[in-house]
Amino acid sequence: ASASNLLTVTLSPDCDVAGGSLVTLSGLTGSLTAGGVIGVNSSFPSLIASSGSWNQSSGELVVTTAGTGLVHGVSYAMSFQVRNGATEQGSPSISVKGSVLSVDGPFSGEGYFEAMVKASGDAEGVTGGAAPLLIVLPRFLVRGVGQTNPLAWASNTLRVTLRANSDLRAGSLVTVAGLVGSASVDGNVSVNASVGGAWASVGAWEQGSGRIVVSVSGEGVVNGSEHVLWFVLRNGGVENRTAASVSVVASAVSVYGEFVGQGLYEVMDNGGSDAIGVSGGGNPMVVHVPGFAVRWIGQSNPFASASNVLTVTLSPDCDVLAGSSVTVSGLRGSLTASSESLAIVNVSGSGVGMSAAWQQDEGVLTLFVSGDLANGSVHVLSLTLRNGLAEQAARNVSVVMSVRSADGAYFGQGAIEAVMS
């Protein structure tokens, strides 16, 4: 639809046709080409005029023979460009007639309109697309979108699955829109594809509209072939459990002129899958601020200057990858000096080891996760600190997690949560 289109006509007259005679094609309806004079190419340029009179509404083209005219029984081919209409249609009924100039007087020999035999082959990967002015919208019969990481501020891989209803030549554009809420600013982003060489390695990203435009490259996309594209964006920081309404459109390059075949935006399927242990987290642009469903801390000894075993119980509300960290703050008043390797005992849980760093002045304990933790798993840890010399009330303790992303450099960032005691 809307593309530049080359129409080719082959005629063989059943009589000689003098130069100056008229050939009229009728029924070429559905074109966007405005009425007027349009160019005509032919296999015998000295015998067929290089332009014709075009009527858009009736789809009629009148071409004049030239020179010595056409000879009975000889095949003559001519072609001309029109722009397809913007909406889908079947191939219209097309007919042709001749008005043969007479050398004997002012009256021409008038033929009558006869139905033309139309091509029935495929074109641009469209079944029957060679039939004149059959028009289809370039679109995707399979159009899926999903993501791998819903955590706030994390690197997140968006995956797009596409299967077109036509061929898409190199230079065609595919636009995915509606990926709103990302923290990634405008610019080019790297794009990977399941079919190597068929897609550009970068796409143009617009943050405000949530739109990425990717070019077809190389040998192009063949009708019926399935392609998976993926690229990494950074999530926003606000909790959002509603999937974005994402749509896709194709603009198909035509080799026959400047106008591209233009599709319409269609909503993509999101699948409703989970990701990182978050229900529905595989849906596009869903964001979850990671935290702990269980967060408890207690101690064994309240006496001044005494060794005191602190027990921490945590249960994450998402999967947590190795390399993530958990920060417990507010443990001020201890005599234990700062250390980059404070001893931690894994009392119960998955058995995943953790190391710890301790900052005495700020009362901050940072736990470094050495193995993957599953959503809902309960982990009980203990550590020993020495109490301070002076009496003090129980401190307000808080916890926050920073979850490593397998998709890129940005970690998922949780919100600071109060710890129960």
Side-chain angles (χ1 to χ4, degrees), residues 38-295:
I38 62 174
V40 176
N41 294 303
S42 70
S43 55
F44 293 86
S46 63
L47 303 180
I48 298 176
S50 61
S51 63
S53 176
W54 169 252
N55 185 302
Q56 181 183 16
S57 60
S58 64
E60 193 169 272
L61 177 67
V62 180
V63 181
T64 304
T65 60
T68 58
L70 312 183
V71 178
H72 172 214
V74 176
S75 291
Y76 300 87
M78 60 180 179
S79 61
F80 51 95
Q81 286 186 11
V82 296
R83 185 182 183 189
N84 290 338
T87 57
E88 292 190 326
Q89 67 174 31
S91 176
S93 297
I94 301 169
S95 57
V96 61
K97 80 164 186 173
S99 297
V100 181
L101 185 69
S102 173
V103 296
D104 301 312
F107 301 108
S108 296
E110 288 293 335
Y112 54 87
F113 280 107
E114 297 179 285
M116 300 191 71
V117 178
K118 297 187 292 186
S120 58
D122 300 343
E124 302 298 319
V126 176
T127 301
L133 288 171
L134 182 144
I135 299 174
V136 299
L137 292 168
R139 59 188 297 262
F140 296 100
L141 304 179
V142 174
R143 47 186 188 276
V145 61
Q147 65 180 21
T148 60
N149 192 328
L151 300 187
W153 301 115
S155 298
N156 180 17
T157 298
L158 278 297
R159 293 185 181 273
V160 174
T161 304
L162 299 170
R163 178 162 61 86
N165 69 338
S166 67
D167 296 344
L168 296 175
R169 295 178 180 269
S172 299
L173 301 178
V174 174
T175 302
V176 178
L179 299 169
V180 292
S182 171
S184 295
V185 299
D186 292 359
N188 290 333
V189 298
S190 296
V191 176
N192 296 286
S194 59
V195 179
W199 299 89
S201 60
V202 296
W205 166 251
E206 293 180 1
Q207 182 182 23
S209 61
R211 183 174 70 177
I212 185 169
V213 181
V214 185
S215 299
V216 178
S217 65
E219 297 299 316
V221 171
V222 178
N223 178 5
S225 60
E226 191 161 287
H227 297 253
V228 181
L229 310 179
W230 63 95
F231 48 92
V232 177
L233 299 176
R234 188 181 186 189
N235 290 335
V238 179
E239 182 87 13
N240 171 39
R241 303 305 286 270
T242 302
S245 179
V246 183
S247 56
V248 63
V249 66
S251 299
V253 162
S254 171
V255 296
Y256 303 110
E258 61 179 310
F259 298 110
V260 300
Q262 188 60 54
L264 299 175
Y265 276 104
E266 294 184 286
V267 175
M268 303 186 75
D269 301 319
N270 58 42
S273 63
D274 300 342
I276 313 294
V278 177
S279 177
N283 289 330
M285 311 316 291
V286 164
V287 174
H288 172 59
V289 179
F292 294 96
V294 176
R295 48 191 188 277

Side-chain angles (χ1 to χ4, degrees), residues 340-357:
E340 293 299 318
S341 57
L342 189 69
I344 294 292
V345 176
N346 187 13
V347 177
S348 65
S350 65
V352 173
M354 293 190 186
S355 59

